[in-house]
Every structure is written in C-alpha cells, then in structure tokens.
Amino acid sequence: MGKEKVTIYTIAEELNMTPSMVSRAFKPDGKVNEKKRQLILETAERMGFEQNRMASRLSMKPIRIATLIYGRFPGYYDEMVRGVEAASRDLSDYKVTNRLFVMPFGEYSQEDAYRVLDEVEADKYDGLVLHGLYGEDVAQRIDRLTDAGVVVCTLHNDILSCRRLFTSMSDTELTGSMAAQLLSIFLPPNRNRMVLFSGSMKSMVHQTLSFSFIRHAEERGMTLLRHYATEDYPERAAEQVRDAFETYSGIDGIYISSANSAPILRYLEENRLGDRVAVVASDVFQELSAYMRKGIVNATIYQDPYRQGKRAFEGLFYYIADGIKPNSYLMTPPQIVMTSNLSVYERWKNDD
Amino acid sequence: MGKEKVTIYTIAEELNMTPSMVSRAFKPDGKVNEKKRQLILETAERMGFEQNRMASRLSMKPIRIATLIYGRFPGYYDEMVRGVEAASRDLSDYKVTNRLFVMPFGEYSQEDAYRVLDEVEADKYDGLVLHGLYGEDVAQRIDRLTDAGVVVCTLHNDILSCRRLFTSMSDTELTGSMAAQLLSIFLPPNRNRMVLFSGSMKSMVHQTLSFSFIRHAEERGMTLLRHYATEDYPERAAEQVRDAFETYSGIDGIYISSANSAPILRYLEENRLGDRVAVVASDVFQELSAYMRKGIVNATIYQDPYRQGKRAFEGLFYYIADGIKPNSYLMTPPQIVMTSNLSVYERWKNDD
DNA sequence: TTGTATGCGTTATCAC
DNA sequence: GTGATAACGCATACAA
C-alpha cells in the first residue's frame, strides 16, 4: 500500500511534461493544447491526484472579502457576525481576509451603509456579505458591485431581481411548519384559536414564513384570528398585543415569528396569561430566555444565525477561490428549543 | 490601513535576525537563546504576526490518522463515518490522511478489531479514532497505543481509566432532560405512567442517559413503571415490550433511549397503541422515520453522529498538529425532531 | 502553446 | 546557538 503522494511533478514525470503544463491543465482558462489537457486530466484521475489547495492558494494573491451588517437585533446579528468571523478564521490560512462593518440600525443611517458599499466598490474587494439592506436601490447597487467584480451574497434576507450570487438564510418554509406543529402541541385540548405576530410584510423572509405557518396551522385545524405585522417596532407590537386581547376573547395560542417578542411577552406576564396561552417564539436571546424559564414561552425556534453567517462567508470564499458555485439559496435548518435544551443556545454564556 | 502581511521575514528584518531564528522561536523545543526567543515572541505579538499554518504544514511531514468503527447500527455509525470523512476532507490540505476501518458488529469479531489496533501500533499512526470497543482489555490496549505515540480518542462512548486524549460523544445528561420534557408534553392530560427502554447498563453512555432521564422525569411528576435494558438486542426488546404491556395496565408513555426501537414500535403498531401511548425515541433512521410519519412516535432525539465523528477527527488533528489540547469531553448537543422537521435529518435522502 | 524561473510562508537539514 | 539552503506543492510572469 506504499502509495506515494502524487503531485503535479509525479504526473509531469509520468507524461514527460513539465509541472507547469500539468498545473495549467487544471485551470479552465489555462493555455494548454486541448488534447494534452485531456491526457493530463485522465492520468491525474488514474493516479489519484488530489490538488493541494493549500499550496495552490499559497502562491496566489490574497482574497479580500467585506462584511456589512446593518442589523436590527443585536442578539441576532451578533451571532451572524460570530459565524462570519469563525469562517474567516477557519479559512485564514487560505489567504482570505475579512473586513467587518457592523452598523446597528439605530446608530447608522442608510447613507452610512451606502458609503460602505462605495468603499467596497472603490477598493475592489473580491466579495461582500451583505445583511439588513433592502429595496430597489440596493438591488441596483448590488448589480453595480457585481459588474465591478465584487461577488455579493446576502445574509438572512434575499434581495430580489439583482445579481447577488446566493443568499444564506434560515429555511423559512420549514420554520413555519415547525411553528405550526409546536403550537398545535401546546394548545390546550380542544382549543385552537390563535394569533400571529410577524415581522414586516415587505420582507420576503417574513412573507414566506407567515404564509407557511398559516398554511400548516390550518392543516392542523387551527384557527387564525388575526395576523399582526409588527414591522419590527417594539411599540407597535405592544399596541397590537393589547388590541388582540381586547378584540378577541378566546386566544389560545400565539406565534411570534420575529425577534420582536419582548413587548408581547411582557404583556402576557403582566396580565398573567402565561399558562392560559400557548406561546411559540423565535430565536434565543437574553430577554426571551427569561420568559421561557418563567413559563411564558413554551418553545422557540432557533434560526441559527451563527451558521447562516458562517455559510455565507464560506460560500463566497469557495466560489471566489475555486469557482464552486453554491446553490442560489443556502438554507439553514432551524432548531427547536425548549427549557430543557435552552442552555445550549444561550451563546452569550458559552464561549465556544 | 495599508498593513503589509507580516511574516517571519518581516520580523527577522525588524530584529536583524534570520527567518530560521524566528521560526524556531515558535517551536517549544527549538534551539534558541531564551532571551532572543522572548524578544521575537514579543515583537511578533506587537507586529500582529499570524502564523500561516498552511505554509507550515506544507513543509512538515504528513499526519496519519486511523479510524476504527466497530459499529452496531448502520444508520448510526454510517453517519459517524461520514462525519469523520468530512473532517478528513476538510483538513486534507494540511496533509492529514485518514485510514478507515469499518467493521460491523455481526460481521467481524472482537479479534478482528484488535488486529487493526495491532496494525495501527505497528505502522506508527499518529492518531486513532475508536468506536464500539469496550472493556478493560481495550483500556490496556489504548494505553499501549498511547505509549507507542498514537494519540487515541474514543467516539460516541468513553473508555474509563485509560489514557485516551478525549471522547467525542453526545451530551447524554442533556438528552435525558430533553427526553423527559418531551415525554411530559406528549403524555395525555393527568396521566404520567411510563416505561423506559434503554441500552446496556454496562455502557457509561446509557447509564448516565437513563439516570438523567429518570431524575428529570421524576422532577416533572412522572412515574417510572419499569426500566428495561434491551442490551441492543432486537429480540430482547421485543420480549420486553410484550412483558411491559402484559404486566402493567396503564402505560401512558415510553422513552426508548437507544437506537434499538424498531421491535418496540412494531409492537405498538400491531396492537394499535399508537395514539394511546406517547413515544419519544432516539436518533433518526429509515425505519423510525416511517413510524414517526404513521404517528406512532411523537418525537425523537437526534444525537448528531455526523458531528460527533467530525469533531473527533478534528480534535485529534488539532492536537497532533498544533498541540491544542481539547476538553476531555467534546459534547455534541442533541436535537429535537418531530414530523415537521424530520426531513432535515433524513440524511439518506439528502446529499449534502 | 510550451518551458523556465521565481515566489508563496514555513520548517528541516546541515554546516558553522 | 546560528545561518544558509533546500524542500513542501502549486501558480504565474516571462521568455522561448
């Protein structure tokens, strides 16, 4: 079994060619006689050659990626940032670097964010991970970046009709279905009237999520009393939950499909509705943890922002470095969290 | 911000030394004047030097790791193997190779497995991932391997009182607690009598798992009628489930903490107990999937054997390559699976 | 199109 | 201890 390591030298020797010849044969645009290329590729295959991407990248110029996070909920986008940074660290030996711009929604204006895009374009970065920017303007900017040679991927949200390479997001269709099943489990026997609090209907993510939930909830025989779009504004959510309980007498369950759950849960606590109403929430952050432990929230659906961020950066790198085109959507499966496994997801306590 | 890449050359130049000097300063046993070493380390820190492990590994000799899987349930150990292979692939650029020995329990004897250990020792592998071997003999063999310079980690199960470096396994304490909560949720109202079917009590894994479950179940007010240890034998499980329902009249719930669930579920189906008895099972494999879809199983706890395998190999590599000592236990958190998210875990359908 | 020479960042070897 | 020099495996500018 004494199989020697097979390199481009081994192959070159076997074929009486030079190593550079072999090297070039693997680059799609390398200048090589097509016949020889075929020959090289075949014998490489036969000899069990495996490119050492390490040595390869070592002799190539560094890859520069920028990450712009225009985030709403710190507990959420912090995790995405951690994921991006983890990927960047894991791949740093391949000479990729990440330039990170974290701009919380309240502290920075949209103009500030656009200025970063300018910089990314001017500095000719190789790739961009983009989160939290929406709308037609952004679509155009992304196309401009793409034309300038910057590969763009969006994180957590997609931006339609533009030439971003892919989107790394949570599987919203799946999330809706899981939420429906969870809520149906926690609903009191023979009771099935519930309310949905979602994010903004201008966002694709929340659209598909809401749609999926409603569909699956109906399949399970639940009745949707009302769908409130909180638009990610806490005050809005506070008003709406009050409205809900004033308008409808028998609310048995609530699904909060965005991270904007605190005002709603506070209302439930203050009005001692905790064990009368089944609640399924989204994500895991400090405030929510507390409500879970108090028994206000029965379960929550963790969207794994860490993994979303990680996969975004990785996808970008593998495309830029190796030309491996990822699927248009990298869907990260969400996970079910209840009190028994809550500690696993309280990342601010762990240090892994 | 035009920070040049800082390499050992940059540092050497700064200090009027040679690159070799700098390189040696980072190796604990490198021959360097202690004062100079300090100086080098400090300026490296100051200049923001980051070792390129890629270039480093490139000039070092390959690392050889062997993986021995003496597995019981194909659906389970196949996933572990996939995880090990994924890690091996991801790290292959660092010149690590994996020699894989998969020996199904029925087809191979313990002697066959021991022979592999001999080979690993004789061939002076750098590391070994070991799964499915138990007992005092193995402990001694592991110590011998360790003395011979082979770093050993165990996968899925620990082996006590031996000098294995670490164990990669699922978090059994957590699993027990999750199982208890899940079962309590699915139990019919005001009913709480349940039975536990576990693996062998000779195995640490199943001991702590059972113990954790029983403790948490009691905390939640459930009554354990009986604890059967199926010893991983299907026939045994079949007998025991019959015995259980003949002996106890009001069984409300069942937790099956091992992968040996098929005979039990078949019994439930044949006797139309599906919607009278709440069932929480373990892992995800084809047969179980079917029972979930039929409504016999309410939920299952996925132990993520893929990740367990991946982390085992990675841990070994990082220790051998960089001397980074992992925790004694790498605990992989289990995940909750119900019909709505079942498809995510049906790996035999997916090809990621 | 093909070959040569050089570089990528680090370690190992072997003189000094 | 210290300093040259040759690897490691591959890509590429440049010459042929």
Side-chain angles (χ1 to χ4, degrees):
Chain A
M1 304 277 182
K3 40 185 168 186
E4 292 297 305
K5 173 138 227 143
V6 28
T7 73
I8 53 171
Y9 281 86
T10 332
I11 299 175
E13 210 164 347
E14 172 91 5
L15 261 46
N16 257 328
M17 303 203 257
T18 60
S20 27
M21 203 77 268
V22 180
S23 171
R24 275 191 281 262
F26 286 96
K27 312 237 77 175
D29 51 346
K31 295 293 185 187
V32 205
N33 179 311
E34 197 51 41
K35 280 200 166 179
K36 294 199 175 181
R37 160 171 286 152
Q38 284 311 322
L39 183 58
I40 291 171
L41 261 38
E42 280 167 21
T43 55
E45 174 75 26
R46 176 167 54 75
M47 299 178 73
F49 171 68
E50 287 176 17
Q51 258 239 17
N52 187 321
R53 299 175 59 262
M54 168 142 65
S56 164
R57 287 291 316 151
L58 190 57
S59 68
M60 287 158 67
K61 75 171 202 301
I63 291 176
R64 295 157 60 235
I65 291 178
T67 302
L68 171 55
I69 305 290
Y70 191 54
R72 269 71 171 171
F73 301 97
Y76 193 77
Y77 67 71
D78 280 352
E79 281 303 301
M80 295 197 304
V81 169
R82 286 209 327 129
V84 169
E85 287 181 319
S88 156
R89 228 181 311 111
D90 287 353
L91 296 170
S92 66
D93 286 339
Y94 290 98
K95 302 214 283 192
V96 221
T97 58
N98 180 39
R99 176 88 183 281
L100 188 61
F101 300 88
V102 180
M103 315 181 96
F105 187 67
E107 302 173 34
Y108 293 86
S109 71
Q110 193 134 330
E111 273 66 46
D112 294 328
Y114 276 50
R115 222 160 290 134
V116 171
L117 296 186
D118 289 334
E119 194 177 335
V120 168
E121 188 178 338
D123 280 7
K124 292 186 178 303
Y125 276 82
D126 299 295
L128 170 68
V129 176
L130 182 60
H131 165 78
L133 248 32
Y134 300 86
E136 184 54 34
D137 305 7
V138 186
Q140 290 183 17
R141 297 296 308 250
I142 289 177
D143 282 344
R144 240 176 66 191
L145 283 163
T146 304
D147 289 331
V150 183
V151 184
V152 179
C153 87
T154 59
L155 176 52
H156 175 266
N157 60 286
D158 192 12
I159 292 177
L160 297 179
S161 67
C162 75
R163 305 209 304 283
R164 97 280 185 279
L165 182 65
F166 67 93
T167 297
S168 174
M169 60 186 289
S170 83
D171 192 330
T172 47
E173 167 68 24
L174 189 58
T175 308
S177 140
M178 289 164 67
Q181 179 165 32
L182 278 171
L183 201 54
S184 79
I185 288 169
F186 290 112
L187 242 27
N190 304 318
R191 314 205 106 272
N192 58 31
R193 291 151 57 90
M194 49 83 191
V195 173
L196 162 64
F197 294 92
S198 76
S200 165
M201 278 310 99
K202 274 174 277 180
S203 141
M204 268 296 295
V205 169
H206 287 109
Q207 272 181 42
T208 59
L209 180 47
S210 300
F211 182 64
S212 167
F213 170 74
I214 293 170
R215 201 156 42 81
H216 286 100
E218 282 176 354
E219 280 176 21
R220 291 180 180 279
M222 291 182 249
T223 304
L224 179 68
L225 295 174
R226 179 78 171 268
H227 171 187
Y228 292 99
T230 72
E231 305 290 341
D232 284 348
Y233 292 116
E235 318 78 44
R236 192 84 182 262
E239 287 170 31
Q240 291 172 334
V241 65
R242 209 176 314 123
D243 178 78
F245 280 95
E246 282 168 5
T247 310
Y248 305 98
S249 55
I251 296 178
D252 308 310
I254 289 175
Y255 171 42
I256 309 165
S257 67
S258 82
N260 186 15
S261 52
I264 299 164
L265 302 176
R266 194 174 312 122
Y267 181 90
L268 293 179
E269 186 182 24
E270 287 171 358
N271 293 275
R272 309 201 178 291
L273 294 161
D275 33 50
R276 191 145 24 110
V277 181
V279 178
V280 172
S282 302
D283 307 315
V284 178
F285 46 93
Q286 292 206 32
E287 226 169 340
L288 183 65
S289 274
Y291 284 112
M292 289 194 76
R293 294 233 157 75
K294 287 179 197 160
I296 311 271
V297 175
N298 298 80
T300 189
I301 298 178
Y302 179 68
Q303 316 221 46
D304 216 341
Y306 176 89
R307 187 153 177 233
Q308 286 180 48
K310 192 152 185 289
R311 296 177 78 178
F313 191 92
E314 289 171 350
L316 226 41
F317 169 74
Y318 287 122
Y319 177 71
I320 296 170
D322 304 339
I324 298 171
K325 194 163 180 171
N327 288 337
S328 184
Y329 289 98
L330 297 187
M331 295 294 204
T332 296
Q335 290 171 45
I336 300 169
V337 183
M338 308 195 302
T339 52
S340 56
N341 63 336
L342 177 56
S343 60
V344 173
Y345 301 90
E346 293 179 309
R347 290 283 161 82
W348 59 92
K349 291 185 182 175
N350 313 337
D351 40 28
D352 67 296
Chain B
M1 306 281 182
K3 40 185 169 186
E4 293 296 305
K5 173 141 229 140
V6 27
T7 73
I8 51 172
Y9 278 85
T10 331
I11 300 176
E13 210 164 346
E14 173 91 4
L15 261 45
N16 257 329
M17 301 203 258
T18 61
S20 353
M21 203 77 268
V22 179
S23 172
R24 274 192 283 261
F26 286 96
K27 313 237 77 177
D29 51 347
K31 295 294 184 188
V32 204
N33 179 311
E34 197 50 41
K35 281 199 165 181
K36 294 197 176 181
R37 161 172 286 151
Q38 284 311 322
L39 183 60
I40 292 171
L41 260 38
E42 281 168 21
T43 55
E45 175 75 26
R46 177 168 54 76
M47 298 178 72
F49 171 68
E50 287 176 16
Q51 257 240 15
N52 186 321
R53 301 174 56 261
M54 168 142 62
S56 165
R57 289 290 318 148
L58 189 57
S59 68
M60 287 159 61
K61 76 170 202 302
I63 291 177
R64 294 157 62 236
I65 291 179
T67 302
L68 171 54
I69 305 290
Y70 191 53
R72 269 72 171 171
F73 300 97
Y76 192 78
Y77 67 70
D78 280 351
E79 281 303 301
M80 295 198 304
V81 168
R82 284 209 328 130
V84 168
E85 286 181 318
S88 156
R89 229 180 312 110
D90 288 352
L91 297 170
S92 66
D93 287 340
Y94 291 97
K95 301 215 282 192
V96 222
T97 57
N98 180 40
R99 177 86 181 281
L100 188 61
F101 300 88
V102 180
M103 314 180 97
F105 187 66
E107 301 173 34
Y108 293 86
S109 70
Q110 193 135 331
E111 272 66 48
D112 294 328
Y114 276 49
R115 222 161 290 134
V116 171
L117 296 187
D118 289 334
E119 194 175 335
V120 169
E121 189 178 339
D123 281 7
K124 293 186 176 305
Y125 276 82
D126 299 295
L128 170 68
V129 177
L130 182 60
H131 165 77
L133 248 32
Y134 300 87
E136 183 55 33
D137 305 6
V138 185
Q140 290 182 17
R141 297 297 308 250
I142 290 178
D143 282 345
R144 241 176 64 190
L145 283 163
T146 304
D147 289 330
V150 183
V151 183
V152 179
C153 86
T154 59
L155 176 53
H156 176 269
N157 60 286
D158 192 12
I159 292 178
L160 298 179
S161 68
C162 74
R163 306 208 303 282
R164 96 280 184 278
L165 182 65
F166 68 93
T167 297
S168 174
M169 59 187 290
S170 83
D171 192 330
T172 47
E173 166 70 22
L174 188 59
T175 308
S177 139
M178 289 165 67
Q181 178 165 32
L182 278 171
L183 200 53
S184 79
I185 289 169
F186 289 112
L187 244 27
N190 304 319
R191 315 205 105 272
N192 58 30
R193 292 152 55 92
M194 49 83 190
V195 173
L196 162 64
F197 293 92
S198 77
S200 165
M201 280 307 102
K202 274 175 278 180
S203 141
M204 269 295 295
V205 169
H206 287 110
Q207 272 182 42
T208 60
L209 180 47
S210 301
F211 182 64
S212 167
F213 170 73
I214 293 170
R215 199 156 44 80
H216 286 99
E218 282 175 354
E219 279 176 21
R220 291 180 180 278
M222 292 183 247
T223 305
L224 179 68
L225 296 174
R226 179 77 172 269
H227 171 188
Y228 292 98
T230 71
E231 305 291 340
D232 283 348
Y233 292 117
E235 317 79 42
R236 192 86 182 261
E239 286 169 30
Q240 291 172 334
V241 66
R242 209 177 312 123
D243 177 78
F245 280 94
E246 282 168 4
T247 311
Y248 305 98
S249 56
I251 297 178
D252 308 311
I254 289 176
Y255 171 41
I256 309 164
S257 68
S258 81
N260 186 14
S261 52
I264 299 165
L265 302 175
R266 195 175 312 122
Y267 181 91
L268 294 178
E269 186 181 25
E270 286 171 0
N271 294 275
R272 308 202 179 290
L273 294 160
D275 32 50
R276 188 141 29 106
V277 181
V279 178
V280 172
S282 303
D283 307 316
V284 178
F285 45 94
Q286 291 207 32
E287 226 169 340
L288 183 65
S289 273
Y291 283 113
M292 290 194 75
R293 293 233 157 73
K294 286 179 198 161
I296 310 271
V297 175
N298 297 79
T300 189
I301 299 178
Y302 180 66
Q303 316 222 47
D304 217 340
Y306 176 88
R307 188 153 176 231
Q308 288 180 46
K310 193 153 184 288
R311 296 177 78 178
F313 191 91
E314 288 172 350
L316 227 40
F317 169 74
Y318 288 122
Y319 177 73
I320 296 170
D322 304 338
I324 299 172
K325 195 164 179 169
N327 288 337
S328 184
Y329 289 98
L330 297 187
M331 295 295 205
T332 296
Q335 290 172 46
I336 299 169
V337 182
M338 308 194 302
T339 51
S340 56
N341 62 337
L342 177 57
S343 60
V344 173
Y345 301 90
E346 293 179 308
R347 290 285 161 81
W348 59 91
K349 290 185 184 174
N350 314 337
D351 39 27
D352 67 296

